[in-house]
Amino acid sequence: MASTFTCLDYHVVFSTKYRKPWIHEEFCEELYQYLGGIIRAEQGCLREIGGMPDHLHLLVGIPPTIAVSDAIRILKASSSKWVNERSDRVAKFQWQIGYAAFTVSVSQRESVCQYIRNQQTHHRQRSFKEEFIELLERHQIEYDPKYAFEQEHVG
């Protein structure tokens, strides 16, 4: 019997490249299921997932054998490959370069799940940018606004 016991839950947030509204309703459930499969393949647990056409929120349990950055890299790389291999894609799908991840205690798990489930309601009142900055500030994460949101360069 192992003598190591962990409960490592993270609220993970990332957007599509340049916050393009690429997560269409007709395939978001499939995308959510695919992401859950990736997490399970890494011995993790998808506790909740939700989002908007331009970003996702996940509450994931990650095993201590994998770094959070590695788990998110695997999630993003595998899922973008899957989306781009779909026959209904017209533009190349990409996730943003970075992400945000916040630890979540068991006592806060249900409130984070509710927050993730209620994304449609939250975004009637504020943009993803406002939400993202609020999350960073609530978790006392220092950031430089010029790096928080990748800008598309045209021309």
Side-chain angles (χ1 to χ4, degrees):
M1 165 141 324
S3 61
T4 301
F5 307 96
T6 64
C7 179
L8 305 172
D9 286 353
Y10 296 89
H11 177 187
V12 177
V13 183
F14 53 86
S15 74
T16 58
K17 184 90 167 177
Y18 308 127
R19 293 161 312 286
K20 300 270 186 179
W22 286 334
I23 305 170
H24 300 288
E25 197 172 316
E26 55 272 6
F27 90 100
C28 80
E29 283 305 315
E30 285 180 79
L31 175 63
Y32 292 177
Q33 289 174 11
Y34 190 81
L35 288 162
I38 296 167
I39 292 165
R40 286 187 298 280
E42 296 299 322
Q43 309 308 308
C45 175
L46 178 61
R47 301 192 188 288
E48 193 66 53
I49 187 169
M52 298 296 289
D54 65 345
H55 72 279
L56 289 181
H57 290 257
L58 303 93
L59 179 60
V60 294
I62 298 176
T65 54
I66 184 168
V68 176
S69 58
D70 289 338
I72 296 170
R73 179 185 45 76
I74 292 165
L75 262 178
K76 289 166 62 177
S78 298
S79 61
S80 62
K81 181 178 186 294
W82 175 79
V83 171
N84 283 312
E85 289 175 347
R86 292 173 55 96
S87 61
D88 58 349
R89 294 307 306 160
V90 265
K92 185 175 183 202
F93 180 91
Q94 294 177 285
W95 296 113
Q96 74 175 70
I97 292 172
Y99 63 90
F102 315 102
T103 55
V104 176
S105 67
V106 173
S107 65
Q108 294 302 304
R109 188 185 286 163
E110 185 52 35
S111 65
V112 173
C113 285
Q114 285 290 353
Y115 181 85
I116 293 170
R117 284 183 210 120
N118 290 320
Q119 282 295 293
Q120 300 288 330
T121 303
H122 299 309
H123 289 291
R124 285 187 200 129
Q125 299 164 354
R126 66 179 172 214
S127 69
F128 171 62
K129 188 173 182 177
E130 291 167 326
E131 174 189 45
F132 194 79
I133 289 170
E134 182 182 309
L135 285 167
L136 293 176
E137 290 174 350
R138 185 181 325 147
H139 290 87
Q140 300 177 5
I141 296 174
E142 291 184 26
Y143 66 95
D144 184 332
K146 72 180 178 184
Y147 298 115
F149 294 97
E150 216 176 340
Q151 297 300 313
E152 185 170 18
H153 300 286
V154 181

